[in-house]
Amino acid sequence: MKMFWKELLICAFMGLVLPGALMEVSSSLLPPKGETEVVAETTQETVEAFGDELFVSGIKIPVRWPDGSVESVNMEEYLVGVVLAEMPASFETEALKAQAVAARTYAGKIHNAEEKHGDGSVCTDSQCCQAYISPTEYIQKGGSPQAVEKVRGAVLATAGEVLSYDGELIEATYFSCSGGNTEDAKAVWGADFPYLRAVASPGEEGAEYYRDTVSFSKEKLELVLGVTLGEKPESWLGEITRTPGNGVKTIEIGGKKFQGTQLRQLLGLRSTSFTATTGDHGLTIETRGYGHRVGMSQYGADAMAVSGKTYGEILSYYYQGTELTQYIDTTVPGGAVEVIATEPTEKDVA
């Protein structure tokens, strides 16, 4: 996903923006293909019954809407829209809980530091902050009330919970699919965070972009990369070095060395975890995973949840050395604000 106070320098260095978080946040605003909880016909009564006013809480966060206006919104209410936009509601409830905590942490850090937009607000652009879709719009676009209730239950079950490291909110970055291994933050952004380390992420094989193959002609490569390639394709590639997460650290093409992150941007690759081969067709690149691969893999989180892991176990695995704490809004006097919310019902968390 995906920003934080170091990101202006980091992004200038790497030429990329986060996700989702953030920001290459991977999930569609609509339920993925194959999701079973779809409403055949959405009525106005249904939209009103599952509207946007879902929570009563003292925790507020300023949200910057697409028209530029800023509104103070209940934190948990905002997170329902984020989780609906960032992760398929068909995922396991424990994965949805993990996503809610990561998204709350991400937003809370931006707000407390009053960074990004200069006023502590979070926007709804996944290439900047986090994606968002209101429950009303989600249902109008074909999502089900049951999906909204499921996500609402996951958010409410984790109300106020955030991740911290050494007493500070973490950079809770997340992405769609790692392709088998997440990546060290330093390998992608040049900044080292002890809790953002490369880890194995099994069980993602069902992700849409677990593997992806693209090909480039000699002419295309020369134009985009600014290199001169010989007539023999086997001479195009030179030394390749790799990162701790099995991504490409550097690769030599046409005698010119590129950073893996740089090549990903130039060629529009889905990730830096790739292999390259040459032939009469030109250059073929097979990528694994989708996103920057730093932090929590959403498909990996779902696989862990399917295997019986709790959201706490999922979070401690992808953000190693962190702990679950209660969010404190440092921009208001007194800091902590009491959450006033009903307990999730059996229906909410089913």
Side-chain angles (χ1 to χ4, degrees):
M1 41 266 194
K2 129 250 246 169
M3 300 163 200
F4 46 90
W5 69 271
K6 296 181 181 177
E7 284 180 339
L8 291 178
L9 291 177
I10 296 171
C11 290
F13 169 75
M14 64 182 244
L16 293 174
V17 219
L18 288 180
L22 325 118
M23 294 147 216
E24 322 173 40
V25 177
S26 51
S27 305
S28 168
L29 298 184
L30 296 180
K33 294 179 181 178
E35 183 172 332
T36 57
E37 297 176 339
V38 177
V39 181
E41 181 178 357
T42 301
T43 64
Q44 185 60 37
E45 290 75 15
T46 300
V47 172
E48 291 173 354
F50 293 90
D52 301 338
E53 299 299 325
L54 300 178
F55 293 91
V56 176
S57 166
I59 299 178
K60 301 285 186 179
I61 189 167
V63 177
R64 183 175 295 271
W65 302 114
D67 64 2
S69 64
V70 178
E71 179 185 5
S72 181
V73 178
N74 171 269
M75 173 69 94
E76 312 307 327
E77 177 187 328
Y78 157 74
L79 289 171
V80 172
V82 171
V83 177
L84 284 171
E86 293 282 10
M87 178 177 275
S90 58
F91 277 16
E92 293 290 312
T93 298
E94 293 302 306
L96 293 169
K97 289 179 184 178
Q99 177 66 63
V101 174
R104 187 182 295 108
T105 305
Y106 192 86
K109 189 169 182 65
I110 290 175
H111 176 59
N112 283 359
E114 297 187 336
E115 56 185 26
K116 250 352 168 137
H117 302 287
D119 57 1
S121 65
V122 292
C123 73
T124 59
D125 180 359
S126 65
Q127 297 300 310
C128 181
C129 293
Q130 299 182 117
Y132 176 92
I133 185 171
S134 73
T136 298
E137 184 180 359
Y138 181 84
I139 292 172
Q140 288 173 335
K141 289 180 177 293
S144 72
Q146 292 84 359
V148 173
E149 284 294 298
K150 181 181 179 182
V151 168
R152 175 181 181 269
V155 171
L156 190 53
T158 65
E161 290 186 332
V162 289
L163 289 168
S164 64
Y165 185 90
D166 283 346
E168 300 288 338
L169 291 182
I170 71 165
E171 307 294 350
T173 57
Y174 55 88
F175 58 91
S176 176
C177 167
S178 77
N181 285 90
T182 70
E183 188 59 271
D184 275 14
K186 189 173 183 178
V188 177
W189 298 312
D192 187 27
F193 297 96
Y195 48 83
L196 294 177
R197 302 293 194 204
V199 297
S201 186
E204 301 179 355
E205 292 79 8
E208 184 176 0
Y209 297 113
Y210 182 75
R211 291 179 186 271
D212 188 54
T213 302
V214 288
S215 295
F216 303 93
S217 67
K218 176 177 180 289
E219 293 73 24
K220 176 75 171 180
L221 290 172
E222 290 181 327
L223 177 64
V224 174
L225 303 184
V227 297
T228 300
L229 301 175
E231 292 303 316
K232 297 180 179 180
E234 60 268 25
S235 69
W236 297 354
L237 297 179
E239 182 184 15
I240 299 177
T241 63
R242 294 201 169 267
T243 64
N246 201 37
V248 171
K249 182 178 182 180
T250 62
I251 181 172
E252 191 177 294
I253 302 177
K256 184 177 179 180
K257 183 179 288 187
F258 296 89
Q259 297 290 323
T261 51
Q262 178 188 18
L263 195 69
R264 182 190 174 207
Q265 182 188 32
L266 290 171
L267 297 182
L269 306 178
R270 296 200 182 278
S271 83
T272 59
S273 178
F274 63 82
T275 57
T277 56
T278 59
D280 295 337
H281 52 276
L283 178 71
T284 296
I285 294 180
E286 182 182 275
T287 56
R288 296 186 62 157
Y290 186 23
H292 49 66
R293 299 171 55 244
V294 178
M296 185 180 75
S297 164
Q298 294 171 320
Y299 274 88
D302 190 49
M304 289 184 70
V306 169
S307 73
K309 300 297 184 183
T310 66
Y311 74 97
E313 291 173 317
I314 294 170
L315 293 168
S316 65
Y317 181 74
Y318 285 109
Y319 307 104
Q320 297 191 356
T322 62
E323 61 179 344
L324 281 169
T325 57
Q326 283 293 308
Y327 174 62
I328 296 175
D329 185 345
T330 60
T331 69
V332 298
V337 182
E338 181 182 3
V339 178
I340 308 168
T342 59
E343 290 298 315
T345 66
E346 209 169 288
K347 179 182 177 184
D348 288 332
V349 297

